């Protein structure tokens, strides 16, 4: 048997990581500005994380959600305190798509409606409804094309208001910083007007914080820059630093119903131990503040570079979620960064480099990336 060939792979076998660095099977060191696609929040192989998982697996790796799991309760209390949402409820699952799927399902149960509004260029996952809410027809199978979703221009409030007025919308789903869409930011005025309109029309507002949440933007949640308070918040990626986990934060508007939602592996003991260690480390090492500080520094250095580097068209982002728009294909630059400069970055579309480093990145590591980028572009 061989692997099903669906990923265009870089020819590098990463076997070890430490902080913001990873190492291949030949011992070559790489600077990681990709974070395993925004998953590595506190850094590779952090001692707190390793110790927590090791300790937990020697006690109990898994038991089902048919019994009390005190680690789930601890995580809910800690996450509520750190995020500012201690009056919300927590439903734990395994992946970002699963979190979004359950959030949209809750919205539909609550409103009795079937239609969802999302932004153009949105990416919300690859499961049944989440993939229909993803603006990419290439990955939507015929069985998923159920016409429940309407794609609208980002930040065009009049277009969203027109659809909301029809009275059949169960949810509006926003990535407050679009990731796959090329690091596009939701504008504050749009977000506040949409939030108010959702209240007026009895529509649920869902903020997809899968990629932009958990401190990456320089606040715990990216929507907190916009002064809105969504009804449902979905998180994944950075929540457990690489251990598969995700969650839905659910406002007091919703009343739990036995059997309405469910999961086998969601919120298992190992995942919760990992997630608690992540929150401990984020607080102890002030990583949200570091994301803001180093993010601002990186953005300023990249914008200064734009003035002297003809291939950089635009730099955009917030915190440690940054897009570098090029006038040449990003693939060639990304490959030069990997193979020649030993540095990992992400990408969006054909011309955007995407930076999603661990939140512990230092200023010296940011400087090292700038030097590597200059060489790769030249």
């Amino acid at each position: 048997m061989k692997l099903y060939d669906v990923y265009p792979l870089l020819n590098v076998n990463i076997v070890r990581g430490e902080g913001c660095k990873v190492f291949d099977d030949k011992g070559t060191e790489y600077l990681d500005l990709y974070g395993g696609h925004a998953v590595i929040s506190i850094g590779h192989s952090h001692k707190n994380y390793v110790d927590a998982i090791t300790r937990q697996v020697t006690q109990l790796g898994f038991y089902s959600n048919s019994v009390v799991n005190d680690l789930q309760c601890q995580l809910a209390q800690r996450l509520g305190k750190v995020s500012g949402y201690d009056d919300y409820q927590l439903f734990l699952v395994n992946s970002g798509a699963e979190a979004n799927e359950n959030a949209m399902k809750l919205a539909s149960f609550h409103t009795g409606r079937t239609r969802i509004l999302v932004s153009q260029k949105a990416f919300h996952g690859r499961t049944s409804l989440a993939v229909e809410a993803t603006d990419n027809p290439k990955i939507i199978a015929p069985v998923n094309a159920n016409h429940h979703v309407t794609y609208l221009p980002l930040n065009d409030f009049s277009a969203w208001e027109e659809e909301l007025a029809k009275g059949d919308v169960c949810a509006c789903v926003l990535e407050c910083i679009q990731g796959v869409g090329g690091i596009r930011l939701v504008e504050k005025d749009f977000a506040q007007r949409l939030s108010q309109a959702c209240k007026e029309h009895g529509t649920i507002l869902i903020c997809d914080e899968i990629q932009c949440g958990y401190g990456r933007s320089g606040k715990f949640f990216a929507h907190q820059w916009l002064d809105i308070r969504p009804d449902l918040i979905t998180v994944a990626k950075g929540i457990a630093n690489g251990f598969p986990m995700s969650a839905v934060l659910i406002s007091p508007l919703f009343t739990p119903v036995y059997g309405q939602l469910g999961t086998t592996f969601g919120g298992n003991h190992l995942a919760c131990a990992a997630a608690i260690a992540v929150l401990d480390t984020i607080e102890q090492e002030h990583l949200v503040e570091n994301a803001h500080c180093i993010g601002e520094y990186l953005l300023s250095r990249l914008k200064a570079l734009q003035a002297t580097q003809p291939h950089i068209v635009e730099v955009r982002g917030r915190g440690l979620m940054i897009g570098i728009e090029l006038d040449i294909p990003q693939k060639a630059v990304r490959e030069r960064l990997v193979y020649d400069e030993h540095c990992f970055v992400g990408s969006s579309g054909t011309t955007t480099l995407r930076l999603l480093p661990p939140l512990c990145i230092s200023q010296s590591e940011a400087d090292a990336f700038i030097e590597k980028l200059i060489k790769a572009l030249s």
Side-chain angles (χ1 to χ4, degrees):
M1 185 182 293
K2 62 179 182 179
L3 295 174
Y4 196 51
D5 189 11
V6 292
Y7 301 116
L9 299 177
L10 293 163
N11 190 26
V12 181
N13 181 19
I14 297 300
V15 297
R16 185 168 67 87
E18 181 180 338
C20 288
K21 297 180 174 65
V22 291
F23 302 82
D24 67 18
D25 54 352
K26 300 178 180 62
T28 305
E29 178 185 296
Y30 297 79
L31 181 61
D32 186 11
L33 269 286
Y34 181 51
H37 205 77
V39 167
I40 301 301
S41 48
I42 62 174
H44 295 279
S45 303
H46 195 290
K47 187 178 186 303
N48 290 355
Y49 179 78
V50 173
D51 288 350
I53 293 177
T54 302
R55 184 168 56 248
Q56 184 58 46
V57 79
T58 62
Q59 297 172 354
L60 181 67
F62 176 83
Y63 204 76
S64 80
N65 284 311
S66 61
V67 299
V68 172
N69 179 347
D70 187 55
L71 290 172
Q72 292 181 350
C73 300
Q74 290 180 40
L75 175 59
Q77 291 168 359
R78 292 293 312 286
L79 180 55
K81 179 182 177 184
V82 173
S83 68
Y85 283 91
D86 54 3
D87 59 332
Y88 278 44
Q89 304 157 91
L90 189 66
F91 179 64
L92 295 165
V93 278
N94 306 285
S95 70
E98 193 179 351
N100 282 333
E101 195 84 20
N102 279 284
M104 290 184 281
K105 186 188 297 184
L106 277 171
S108 186
F109 275 131
H110 183 80
T111 63
R113 304 172 186 170
T114 58
R115 199 154 68 95
I116 291 167
L117 306 183
V118 303
S119 302
Q120 292 170 354
K121 298 187 177 181
F123 188 97
H124 296 296
R126 294 176 182 267
T127 52
S128 181
L129 182 55
V131 78
E132 192 184 4
T134 292
D135 188 14
N136 182 353
K138 293 180 181 178
I139 65 171
I140 302 175
V143 72
N144 303 127
N146 295 313
H147 311 293
H148 293 305
V149 177
T150 302
Y151 311 108
L152 297 171
L154 185 66
N155 295 319
D156 182 350
F157 176 69
S158 62
W160 292 68
E161 184 180 41
E162 182 179 342
E163 295 299 323
L164 282 168
K166 295 177 182 178
D168 62 345
V169 177
C170 74
C172 293
V173 189
L174 279 184
E175 299 166 276
C176 292
I177 306 175
Q178 288 189 330
V180 173
I183 314 298
R184 309 282 178 181
L185 276 64
V186 169
E187 295 172 359
K188 188 171 184 177
D189 179 67
F190 167 79
Q192 293 185 347
R193 292 175 73 186
L194 181 63
S195 178
Q196 181 59 37
C198 283
K199 291 181 175 67
E200 291 171 359
H201 291 283
T203 298
I204 300 301
L205 178 60
I206 301 172
C207 279
D208 176 343
E209 295 271 353
I210 303 300
Q211 188 171 137
C212 59
Y214 250 75
R216 181 152 298 280
S217 73
K219 289 186 183 288
F220 196 85
F221 289 130
H223 70 260
Q224 290 169 325
W225 289 102
L226 308 174
D227 293 333
I228 60 173
R229 196 169 178 87
D231 303 302
L232 298 168
I233 305 164
T234 56
V235 294
K237 295 197 185 295
I239 189 173
N241 205 52
F243 200 101
M245 192 184 207
S246 66
V248 186
L249 281 69
I250 304 166
S251 80
L253 186 66
F254 296 83
T255 301
V257 176
Y258 284 148
Q260 193 176 72
L261 305 180
T263 172
T264 296
F265 295 105
N268 67 75
H269 293 72
L270 279 176
C272 287
I276 291 168
V278 166
L279 287 176
D280 286 344
T281 305
I282 283 175
E283 284 196 295
Q284 292 165 9
E285 300 184 4
H286 308 289
L287 294 185
V288 177
E289 295 84 349
N290 190 67
H292 176 64
C293 178
I294 302 300
E296 288 293 303
Y297 178 75
L298 252 178
L299 280 165
S300 66
R301 286 221 56 190
L302 286 166
K303 288 177 179 177
L305 185 61
Q306 180 184 348
T308 61
Q309 173 51 252
H311 291 308
I312 299 179
V313 176
E314 184 183 9
V315 177
R316 52 185 180 262
R318 179 169 280 148
L320 292 176
M321 194 170 177
I322 298 172
I324 306 170
E325 188 74 31
L326 306 176
D327 63 1
I328 55 177
Q330 54 80 12
K331 182 180 178 183
V333 178
R334 191 176 176 217
E335 289 180 350
R336 285 190 210 112
L337 280 167
V338 173
Y339 298 128
D340 299 338
E341 301 305 321
H342 301 143
C343 177
F344 283 106
V345 298
S347 63
S348 297
T350 58
T351 57
T352 306
L353 297 176
R354 190 164 25 149
L355 308 185
L356 305 163
L359 307 186
C360 59
I361 187 172
S362 66
Q363 183 171 314
S364 62
E365 288 168 329
D367 288 333
F369 165 71
I370 296 293
E371 297 306 311
K372 291 175 184 293
L373 179 62
I374 291 170
K375 291 177 183 177
L377 288 170
S378 62

